[in-house]
Amino acid sequence: MKLCFNQATTLNNSNLVKDLEYCEKHGYDYIEIRTMDKLPEYLQEHSLDDLADYFRTHHIKPLAFNALVFFNNRDEEGYQEIIREFRQMLEMGSKLGVKYIVAVPLVTEQKILKSDIKASCVEVLKELSDLAEPYGIRIAVEFVGHPQCTVNTFGQAYEIVEEVARDNVGLVLDCFHFYAMGSKREDLERTDASKIFILHIDDTEDYPIGFLTDEDRVWPGHGVIDLDFILSTIQRKGYSDVVSVELFRPEYYQLDAEEAIRTAKETTLQVISKHYNLQLT
Protein backbone atom coordinates (compact mmCIF):
# COMPACT_ATOMS: atom_id res chain seq x y z
CA MET A 1 0.00 0.00 0.00
CA LYS A 2 1.31 3.43 -1.00
CA LEU A 3 0.50 6.75 0.69
CA CYS A 4 -0.96 9.71 -1.23
CA PHE A 5 -1.86 13.28 -0.31
CA ASN A 6 -4.97 14.98 -1.69
CA GLN A 7 -4.55 18.74 -1.94
CA ALA A 8 -8.01 19.40 -0.51
CA THR A 9 -6.45 18.75 2.90
CA THR A 10 -4.47 22.00 2.65
CA LEU A 11 -6.84 23.78 0.27
CA ASN A 12 -6.75 27.20 1.96
CA ASN A 13 -3.32 27.22 3.59
CA SER A 14 -0.92 25.97 0.92
CA ASN A 15 -0.15 25.65 -2.77
CA LEU A 16 1.26 22.98 -5.06
CA VAL A 17 4.89 24.03 -4.53
CA LYS A 18 4.57 23.80 -0.74
CA ASP A 19 2.49 20.62 -0.84
CA LEU A 20 5.12 18.90 -2.96
CA GLU A 21 7.95 20.08 -0.72
CA TYR A 22 6.30 18.92 2.50
CA CYS A 23 4.95 15.66 1.05
CA GLU A 24 8.41 14.80 -0.25
CA LYS A 25 9.92 15.64 3.13
CA HIS A 26 7.43 13.47 5.01
CA GLY A 27 7.64 10.46 2.75
CA TYR A 28 4.43 10.48 0.73
CA ASP A 29 4.55 8.38 -2.43
CA TYR A 30 1.91 10.25 -4.45
CA ILE A 31 -0.10 13.44 -4.69
CA GLU A 32 -3.57 14.12 -6.13
CA ILE A 33 -3.36 17.42 -7.99
CA ARG A 34 -6.39 19.72 -7.87
CA THR A 35 -7.03 20.86 -11.43
CA MET A 36 -9.72 23.43 -10.63
CA ASP A 37 -7.45 25.70 -8.57
CA LYS A 38 -4.02 24.47 -7.45
CA LEU A 39 -2.68 23.50 -10.87
CA PRO A 40 -3.80 26.73 -12.62
CA GLU A 41 -2.29 28.70 -9.73
CA TYR A 42 1.02 26.84 -10.15
CA LEU A 43 1.06 27.44 -13.91
CA GLN A 44 0.85 31.20 -13.41
CA GLU A 45 4.53 31.22 -12.43
CA HIS A 46 5.78 27.80 -13.57
CA SER A 47 5.47 25.59 -16.63
CA LEU A 48 4.18 22.08 -17.04
CA ASP A 49 7.75 21.09 -17.91
CA ASP A 50 8.88 22.45 -14.53
CA LEU A 51 6.38 20.19 -12.82
CA ALA A 52 7.36 17.19 -14.94
CA ASP A 53 11.03 17.82 -14.07
CA TYR A 54 10.15 17.90 -10.37
CA PHE A 55 8.47 14.52 -10.54
CA ARG A 56 11.38 13.06 -12.50
CA THR A 57 13.87 14.14 -9.85
CA HIS A 58 11.94 13.40 -6.65
CA HIS A 59 10.38 10.40 -4.95
CA ILE A 60 6.80 11.71 -4.95
CA LYS A 61 4.79 11.09 -8.11
CA PRO A 62 1.41 12.33 -9.45
CA LEU A 63 -1.38 9.86 -8.79
CA ALA A 64 -4.39 11.70 -10.18
CA PHE A 65 -5.91 14.86 -11.54
CA ASN A 66 -8.81 15.77 -9.27
CA ALA A 67 -11.21 16.35 -10.90
CA LEU A 68 -13.36 16.31 -13.99
CA VAL A 69 -16.55 17.58 -12.38
CA PHE A 70 -20.22 17.04 -13.25
CA PHE A 71 -19.62 14.79 -16.25
CA ASN A 72 -23.13 13.34 -16.63
CA ASN A 73 -26.64 14.55 -17.58
CA ARG A 74 -25.38 17.77 -19.14
CA ASP A 75 -26.87 19.76 -21.99
CA GLU A 76 -24.97 19.75 -25.30
CA GLU A 77 -22.88 22.77 -24.43
CA GLY A 78 -21.96 21.34 -21.04
CA TYR A 79 -21.17 17.95 -22.56
CA GLN A 80 -18.83 19.47 -25.14
CA GLU A 81 -17.07 21.42 -22.38
CA ILE A 82 -16.54 18.18 -20.43
CA ILE A 83 -14.99 16.52 -23.48
CA ARG A 84 -12.74 19.53 -24.12
CA GLU A 85 -11.60 19.63 -20.48
CA PHE A 86 -10.97 15.89 -20.44
CA ARG A 87 -8.85 16.04 -23.58
CA GLN A 88 -6.76 18.79 -22.02
CA MET A 89 -6.33 16.72 -18.85
CA LEU A 90 -5.17 13.76 -20.91
CA GLU A 91 -2.54 15.84 -22.69
CA MET A 92 -1.22 17.36 -19.47
CA GLY A 93 -1.50 14.11 -17.55
CA SER A 94 0.52 12.20 -20.12
CA LYS A 95 3.38 14.71 -19.77
CA LEU A 96 3.38 14.36 -15.97
CA GLY A 97 2.82 10.62 -15.68
CA VAL A 98 -0.61 10.91 -14.08
CA LYS A 99 -2.26 7.52 -13.54
CA TYR A 100 -5.89 8.55 -13.03
CA ILE A 101 -8.39 11.28 -13.74
CA VAL A 102 -11.06 11.47 -11.04
CA ALA A 103 -14.54 12.01 -12.52
CA VAL A 104 -17.25 13.47 -10.28
CA PRO A 105 -20.98 13.07 -11.09
CA LEU A 106 -23.38 15.97 -11.44
CA VAL A 107 -24.59 17.72 -8.31
CA THR A 108 -27.95 19.39 -8.88
CA GLU A 109 -31.24 20.34 -7.25
CA GLN A 110 -33.06 19.04 -10.32
CA LYS A 111 -34.77 15.68 -9.90
CA ILE A 112 -33.46 13.15 -12.42
CA LEU A 113 -34.63 9.55 -12.62
CA LYS A 114 -32.00 7.01 -11.60
CA SER A 115 -32.41 5.23 -14.92
CA ASP A 116 -31.58 8.45 -16.78
CA ILE A 117 -28.61 9.08 -14.51
CA LYS A 118 -27.24 5.62 -15.13
CA ALA A 119 -27.77 5.84 -18.89
CA SER A 120 -25.97 9.17 -19.11
CA CYS A 121 -23.09 8.08 -16.88
CA VAL A 122 -22.54 4.90 -18.88
CA GLU A 123 -22.67 6.69 -22.22
CA VAL A 124 -20.24 9.44 -21.21
CA LEU A 125 -17.85 7.12 -19.39
CA LYS A 126 -17.60 4.87 -22.43
CA GLU A 127 -16.63 7.85 -24.56
CA LEU A 128 -14.12 9.04 -21.96
CA SER A 129 -12.75 5.50 -21.83
CA ASP A 130 -12.16 5.53 -25.59
CA LEU A 131 -10.43 8.91 -25.40
CA ALA A 132 -8.22 7.85 -22.47
CA GLU A 133 -7.17 4.47 -23.86
CA PRO A 134 -4.26 5.71 -26.05
CA TYR A 135 -2.82 7.65 -23.11
CA GLY A 136 -2.83 4.78 -20.63
CA ILE A 137 -4.67 6.97 -18.11
CA ARG A 138 -7.59 5.48 -16.21
CA ILE A 139 -10.85 7.07 -15.05
CA ALA A 140 -11.77 6.87 -11.36
CA VAL A 141 -15.44 7.71 -10.74
CA GLU A 142 -16.06 9.29 -7.35
CA PHE A 143 -19.61 9.09 -6.02
CA VAL A 144 -20.40 11.92 -3.59
CA GLY A 145 -22.31 11.20 -0.38
CA HIS A 146 -24.68 14.14 -0.60
CA PRO A 147 -28.44 14.11 -1.34
CA GLN A 148 -28.04 16.40 -4.36
CA CYS A 149 -25.38 14.34 -6.09
CA THR A 150 -26.79 12.22 -8.90
CA VAL A 151 -24.54 9.30 -7.90
CA ASN A 152 -24.30 9.27 -4.12
CA THR A 153 -23.85 5.68 -2.93
CA PHE A 154 -21.21 3.05 -3.52
CA GLY A 155 -23.76 0.57 -4.83
CA GLN A 156 -25.12 2.99 -7.41
CA ALA A 157 -21.61 3.88 -8.60
CA TYR A 158 -20.54 0.25 -8.76
CA GLU A 159 -23.54 -0.65 -10.93
CA ILE A 160 -22.56 2.09 -13.37
CA VAL A 161 -18.94 0.92 -13.55
CA GLU A 162 -20.09 -2.66 -14.04
CA GLU A 163 -22.32 -1.55 -16.92
CA VAL A 164 -19.46 0.39 -18.53
CA ALA A 165 -17.32 -2.76 -18.33
CA ARG A 166 -14.03 -1.15 -19.33
CA ASP A 167 -10.66 -1.97 -17.77
CA ASN A 168 -9.77 1.70 -17.56
CA VAL A 169 -12.92 2.76 -15.69
CA GLY A 170 -13.23 2.14 -11.96
CA LEU A 171 -14.09 3.82 -8.68
CA VAL A 172 -12.81 6.09 -5.98
CA LEU A 173 -13.88 4.64 -2.64
CA ASP A 174 -14.06 7.61 -0.29
CA CYS A 175 -14.76 6.54 3.29
CA PHE A 176 -16.60 9.78 4.09
CA HIS A 177 -18.84 9.51 1.03
CA PHE A 178 -19.47 5.83 1.78
CA TYR A 179 -20.71 6.75 5.25
CA ALA A 180 -22.44 10.05 4.45
CA MET A 181 -25.36 8.60 2.46
CA GLY A 182 -25.50 5.22 4.16
CA SER A 183 -23.89 3.05 1.49
CA LYS A 184 -24.57 -0.61 2.20
CA ARG A 185 -21.92 -2.87 3.65
CA GLU A 186 -23.09 -5.76 1.49
CA ASP A 187 -22.41 -3.72 -1.64
CA LEU A 188 -18.78 -3.31 -0.60
CA GLU A 189 -18.54 -6.96 0.38
CA ARG A 190 -19.64 -8.13 -3.07
CA THR A 191 -17.38 -5.79 -5.03
CA ASP A 192 -14.56 -6.80 -7.35
CA ALA A 193 -11.64 -5.00 -5.72
CA SER A 194 -9.95 -4.50 -9.08
CA LYS A 195 -12.65 -1.90 -9.77
CA ILE A 196 -11.48 0.21 -6.81
CA PHE A 197 -8.75 2.43 -8.24
CA ILE A 198 -8.22 4.87 -5.35
CA LEU A 199 -9.06 4.75 -1.63
CA HIS A 200 -9.74 8.12 0.02
CA ILE A 201 -9.21 7.94 3.78
CA ASP A 202 -10.98 10.36 6.13
CA ASP A 203 -13.42 10.36 9.04
CA THR A 204 -16.38 12.42 10.22
CA GLU A 205 -18.24 13.91 13.13
CA ASP A 206 -21.42 12.19 14.26
CA TYR A 207 -24.19 13.92 12.33
CA PRO A 208 -27.23 12.14 10.84
CA ILE A 209 -27.05 10.48 7.44
CA GLY A 210 -27.92 12.99 4.72
CA PHE A 211 -26.83 16.04 6.73
CA LEU A 212 -23.08 15.56 6.52
CA THR A 213 -20.97 17.96 4.47
CA ASP A 214 -17.28 17.96 3.58
CA GLU A 215 -16.41 20.40 6.37
CA ASP A 216 -17.49 17.75 8.91
CA ARG A 217 -14.47 15.58 8.02
CA VAL A 218 -11.85 14.92 10.69
CA TRP A 219 -8.50 13.13 10.83
CA PRO A 220 -8.72 9.37 10.15
CA GLY A 221 -9.55 7.53 13.36
CA HIS A 222 -10.90 10.68 15.07
CA GLY A 223 -14.53 10.21 14.02
CA VAL A 224 -17.35 7.69 13.86
CA ILE A 225 -16.80 5.89 10.54
CA ASP A 226 -16.10 2.18 10.89
CA LEU A 227 -12.83 2.41 9.00
CA ASP A 228 -11.77 -1.02 10.21
CA PHE A 229 -14.72 -2.58 8.38
CA ILE A 230 -13.94 -0.78 5.14
CA LEU A 231 -10.22 -1.50 5.30
CA SER A 232 -10.53 -5.13 6.38
CA THR A 233 -13.11 -5.77 3.65
CA ILE A 234 -11.08 -4.36 0.77
CA GLN A 235 -7.86 -5.88 2.14
CA ARG A 236 -9.50 -9.30 2.22
CA LYS A 237 -10.70 -8.82 -1.35
CA GLY A 238 -7.24 -7.92 -2.58
CA TYR A 239 -7.03 -4.13 -2.68
CA SER A 240 -3.50 -2.98 -1.86
CA ASP A 241 -2.78 -0.01 -4.12
CA VAL A 242 -3.00 3.54 -2.76
CA VAL A 243 -4.55 5.29 0.23
CA SER A 244 -5.04 9.02 -0.25
CA VAL A 245 -5.87 11.27 2.70
CA GLU A 246 -8.51 13.87 1.79
CA LEU A 247 -10.01 16.32 4.26
CA PHE A 248 -11.87 19.63 3.90
CA ARG A 249 -11.82 20.71 7.54
CA PRO A 250 -11.91 24.53 7.91
CA GLU A 251 -10.10 24.50 11.24
CA TYR A 252 -7.32 22.36 9.74
CA TYR A 253 -6.81 25.15 7.20
CA GLN A 254 -5.73 27.32 10.12
CA LEU A 255 -2.76 25.03 10.73
CA ASP A 256 0.64 25.47 9.19
CA ALA A 257 0.60 23.45 5.97
CA GLU A 258 3.51 21.24 7.03
CA GLU A 259 1.81 20.44 10.34
CA ALA A 260 -1.36 19.44 8.49
CA ILE A 261 0.56 17.23 6.08
CA ARG A 262 2.50 15.60 8.90
CA THR A 263 -0.64 15.02 11.00
CA ALA A 264 -2.51 13.62 7.99
CA LYS A 265 0.24 11.05 7.54
CA GLU A 266 0.44 10.13 11.22
CA THR A 267 -3.29 9.64 11.68
CA THR A 268 -3.60 7.71 8.42
CA LEU A 269 -0.79 5.35 9.40
CA GLN A 270 -2.39 4.69 12.79
CA VAL A 271 -5.57 3.48 11.06
CA ILE A 272 -4.08 1.78 8.00
CA SER A 273 -1.31 -0.08 9.84
CA LYS A 274 -3.87 -2.40 11.44
CA HIS A 275 -4.59 -3.84 8.00
CA TYR A 276 -1.72 -2.90 5.68
CA ASN A 277 2.04 -2.54 5.72
CA LEU A 278 3.04 0.84 4.31
CA GLN A 279 6.70 0.97 3.33
CA LEU A 280 7.43 4.67 3.29
CA THR A 281 10.62 6.58 2.65
Side-chain angles (χ1 to χ4, degrees):
M1 178 78 84
K2 299 293 186 178
L3 181 63
C4 179
F5 182 78
N6 184 296
Q7 286 195 280
T9 308
T10 50
L11 181 60
N12 293 339
N13 59 340
S14 190
N15 56 43
L16 183 53
V17 171
K18 289 182 180 180
D19 284 346
L20 287 170
E21 175 188 351
Y22 296 142
C23 286
E24 178 77 8
K25 177 179 177 180
H26 291 281
Y28 284 80
D29 300 296
Y30 291 107
I31 188 168
E32 285 189 76
I33 301 172
R34 284 180 60 91
T35 51
M36 64 283 288
D37 39 46
K38 296 304 182 182
L39 182 58
E41 178 188 62
Y42 174 89
L43 293 176
Q44 289 178 6
E45 297 183 2
H46 305 82
S47 70
L48 202 64
D49 287 337
D50 292 335
L51 189 54
D53 287 341
Y54 184 92
F55 287 128
R56 277 195 293 269
T57 56
H58 292 77
H59 171 77
I60 194 167
K61 297 295 184 284
L63 180 72
F65 278 159
N66 196 324
L68 182 74
V69 295
F70 305 166
F71 68 86
N72 59 296
N73 296 97
R74 304 293 296 272
D75 60 20
E76 182 61 26
E77 182 180 356
Y79 169 73
Q80 292 301 329
E81 176 61 22
I82 285 293
I83 297 300
R84 184 203 64 78
E85 184 179 353
F86 188 69
R87 289 182 185 273
Q88 184 180 43
M89 285 183 172
L90 290 171
E91 292 293 335
M92 292 192 298
S94 66
K95 292 181 180 179
L96 298 179
V98 166
K99 296 177 179 291
Y100 303 102
I101 293 174
V102 175
V104 176
L106 179 67
V107 176
T108 178
E109 294 183 0
Q110 178 186 358
K111 289 184 176 181
I112 305 174
L113 292 172
K114 288 182 68 176
S115 58
D116 293 336
I117 293 168
K118 183 177 181 179
S120 175
C121 286
V122 170
E123 180 181 4
V124 176
L125 287 170
K126 284 184 176 180
E127 179 164 1
L128 298 181
S129 170
D130 290 339
L131 292 172
E133 183 66 29
Y135 294 88
I137 296 175
R138 299 200 285 178
I139 303 157
V141 181
E142 181 169 16
F143 66 98
V144 176
H146 188 279
Q148 293 178 344
C149 185
T150 51
V151 183
N152 57 25
T153 66
F154 179 85
Q156 184 188 8
Y158 188 73
E159 285 184 8
I160 290 167
V161 167
E162 279 190 313
E163 183 73 20
V164 174
R166 300 285 181 86
D167 290 340
N168 64 348
V169 179
L171 294 175
V172 176
L173 170 55
D174 184 299
C175 297
F176 172 84
H177 291 317
F178 187 90
Y179 178 85
M181 282 297 291
S183 289
K184 298 177 181 178
R185 291 187 172 212
E186 54 265 34
D187 287 335
L188 185 61
E189 290 170 333
R190 73 177 181 88
T191 189
D192 176 355
S194 69
K195 286 301 182 183
I196 300 174
F197 288 173
I198 303 172
L199 171 67
H200 280 174
I201 191 80
D202 34 44
D203 215 325
T204 186
E205 293 186 278
D206 193 12
Y207 293 116
I209 299 300
F211 284 85
L212 290 157
T213 60
D214 279 331
E215 67 181 16
D216 300 320
R217 299 186 189 209
V218 294
W219 303 118
H222 288 212
V224 298
I225 300 176
D226 189 351
L227 296 175
D228 286 329
F229 164 75
I230 295 174
L231 293 169
S232 63
T233 300
I234 62 174
Q235 192 276 338
R236 185 175 67 252
K237 298 183 76 63
Y239 181 84
S240 61
D241 295 336
V242 178
V243 56
S244 182
V245 57
E246 182 189 40
L247 306 170
F248 290 85
R249 185 79 174 178
E251 63 197 69
Y252 296 169
Y253 296 149
Q254 304 304 311
L255 302 173
D256 175 78
E258 183 174 8
E259 180 183 354
I261 287 170
R262 181 178 60 249
T263 304
K265 174 185 175 180
E266 291 172 351
T267 54
T268 297
L269 291 182
Q270 289 172 2
V271 172
I272 291 288
S273 61
K274 302 175 188 177
H275 307 278
Y276 289 97
N277 177 30
L278 274 73
Q279 298 180 350
L280 303 176
T281 58

